[in-house]
Amino acid sequence: MTTSVDNAQTATDPTDTLGTVIDDVIRPQAPIVDRDGAFPRAGVDALAAAGLLGLASSTEVGGAGHGMRAVAEVIERLAAECGSTAMVVLMHYAATAVIEAHGPRDDRAAIAAGDHLTTLAFSEYGSRSHFWSPTGTATAADEDTVRLDARKSWVTSAGEANSYVWSSLPLTRDAGPMTLWLVPADSAGLSVTGDFDGLGLRGNGSRPMTADGLRVPSAARMAADGAGLDTALGAVLPWFLVLNAAFCLGLADSAVAEAGRHLTRTTLTHTGAALRDAPVTRRDLARLMIGTHALRAFLGDTLTALETGRDDAMLRVLQVKALAGETVADVTDGAMQLCGGSAFRKELGLERRFRDARAARVMAPTTDALLDFVGRVATGLPLLDEANR
């Protein structure tokens, strides 16, 4: 499991423009995206124009060539303002990782240029959050064409992305547990088959999709037939889990900051005291802050483990989303309690962060699955039983 180390930043570093995009587009649009359940197209387009969709793309194809640390910072900063936008971009980067490793140059160049939004299409009705066990099929239609049939249950940016990194059973029986394909959005037989009206992340466009006789060229396969699980574990999962942790960190940190502002500026008229003047309130805020800072430190150590090839890198990657999912749930819950009735109103943005934070625990691999993986690694067992590979 490896990841690239960030290249030296240049004067034209796209991350320099992130603050402007956040101030001008993403922050003002966040309440509207959440209220309407609308895909954050304006924010995604602004990020593309700023070069941020190509942040992880190789300089060889015109990308910024940054590694996971810089990308994680982008996700953290986006999540602090708009969880839906952050999740769309997170899934784009996770899919980009496998396209960079195995995809065609034209698509890599389009991603690098900001002209192409991509995403993962792994979760299926038949296997639910067990993304490593696809039920959708791939069959040879002729010498140069493959037919894909599947019912995907959750696809972020469904109907909005330009391509989908698509999982299926292998073409050849016993070749392996999974094969990956790059499916263009305009493929005949591909359709969005439902809406999304969820508790949180309401604008991330996570909707079901169906492939019914969808045909792609044989060359759309990424890596060898049956090697999709190894590709997912080696190329996709580190990006997905680490960026999820950064997503959670952004939500948690912004919730703590908002709670601190509320406690400082809010006073009780009958006593003249600010909410912060109560020792118990300060104690509870400190606990939320310490939990958030602990997550930041663990995420930083995970990135260092990946960048230096440490022996515990895989363990850290599995641990970091489990820790992050529980931390952000606890922190946003605590921030809601600290701010009382004011937190239930839309103005503070805390109830939105509270709702968005619920996703991390149940997004595959779930916290329960990750804890099992960590226990397996700790006791010398394989990550998955042979029956699941």
Side-chain angles (χ1 to χ4, degrees):
M1 184 180 298
T2 60
T3 184
S4 58
V5 180
D6 291 324
N7 292 341
Q9 294 191 358
T10 68
T12 58
D13 188 339
T15 57
D16 293 342
T17 64
L18 178 59
T20 300
V21 174
I22 286 173
D23 291 343
D24 293 350
V25 184
I26 292 170
R27 186 184 298 119
Q29 287 290 313
I32 300 167
V33 167
D34 178 68
R35 182 194 68 201
D36 297 344
F39 187 79
R41 175 53 64 185
V44 171
D45 288 347
L47 292 167
L52 286 155
L53 292 190
L55 191 64
S57 297
S58 169
T59 55
E60 174 197 1
V61 292
H66 281 285
M68 201 180 287
R69 189 177 293 273
V71 175
E73 181 183 349
V74 169
I75 296 299
E76 178 191 339
R77 292 175 63 185
L78 290 175
E81 307 297 341
C82 179
S84 293
T85 303
M87 186 54 61
V88 167
V89 178
L90 185 162
M91 297 297 281
H92 168 81
Y93 287 138
T96 295
V98 69
I99 295 172
E100 273 292 295
H102 300 287
R105 185 181 180 89
D106 286 352
D107 289 299
R108 293 173 58 210
I111 291 170
D115 297 330
H116 186 121
L117 180 71
T118 188
T119 193
L120 300 176
F122 283 5
S123 297
E124 298 185 0
Y125 283 100
S127 49
R128 312 300 293 177
S129 63
H130 296 183
F131 72 88
W132 52 88
S133 298
T135 58
T137 59
T139 53
D142 55 45
E143 263 189 30
D144 302 315
T145 309
V146 173
R147 171 176 173 153
L148 300 177
D149 293 277
R151 294 178 66 222
K152 300 290 182 178
S153 53
W154 301 94
V155 181
T156 298
S157 305
E160 300 285 350
N162 299 100
S163 69
Y164 303 90
V165 174
W166 190 276
S167 61
S168 76
L169 289 167
L171 277 165
T172 305
R173 185 178 178 181
D174 299 327
M178 181 194 295
T179 296
L180 297 182
W181 309 88
L182 185 59
V183 175
D186 59 358
S187 299
L190 180 65
S191 60
V192 177
T193 52
D195 295 321
F196 178 69
D197 187 12
L199 173 71
L201 300 182
R202 290 176 44 76
N204 84 142
S206 190
R207 297 183 286 171
M209 297 189 77
T210 295
D212 184 6
L214 186 158
R215 298 197 178 204
V216 293
S218 301
R221 190 183 73 210
M222 293 191 289
D225 187 33
L229 181 58
D230 289 338
T231 302
L233 294 178
V236 182
L237 199 64
W239 284 86
F240 181 77
L241 295 182
V242 170
L243 296 186
N244 259 276
F247 171 88
C248 292
L249 178 59
L251 283 175
D253 197 49
S254 62
V256 171
E258 189 55 58
R261 286 190 290 269
H262 180 75
L263 299 179
T264 299
R265 69 192 176 206
T266 305
T267 59
L268 301 173
T269 302
H270 64 293
T271 67
L275 297 183
R276 69 180 179 185
D277 292 335
V280 171
T281 298
R282 295 195 300 270
R283 179 202 67 190
D284 291 346
L285 179 64
R287 285 176 173 164
L288 302 183
M289 184 180 295
I290 290 168
T292 302
H293 288 179
L295 173 57
R296 183 177 298 282
F298 198 96
L299 175 58
D301 184 69
T302 301
L303 288 162
T304 298
L306 285 165
E307 291 166 348
T308 59
R310 255 176 27 203
D311 289 343
D312 65 344
M314 179 180 179
L315 181 62
R316 283 286 183 265
V317 165
L318 296 173
Q319 290 172 322
V320 73
K321 179 180 177 284
L323 174 65
E326 297 309 301
T327 298
V328 73
D330 291 344
V331 167
T332 53
D333 184 57
M336 291 284 291
Q337 289 180 299
L338 267 178
C339 296
S342 295
F344 282 79
R345 297 200 301 264
K346 301 288 187 182
E347 292 94 315
L348 291 186
L350 279 177
E351 59 84 31
R352 170 163 52 87
R353 291 174 172 88
F354 173 86
R355 288 184 286 104
D356 287 349
R358 304 304 106 178
R361 284 173 162 168
V362 299
M363 185 176 294
T366 64
T367 297
D368 285 345
L370 287 168
L371 292 176
D372 181 50
F373 292 163
V374 170
R376 284 174 167 273
V377 172
T379 57
L381 291 171
L383 202 62
L384 295 169
D385 292 327
E386 279 302 314
N388 291 321
R389 289 188 63 87

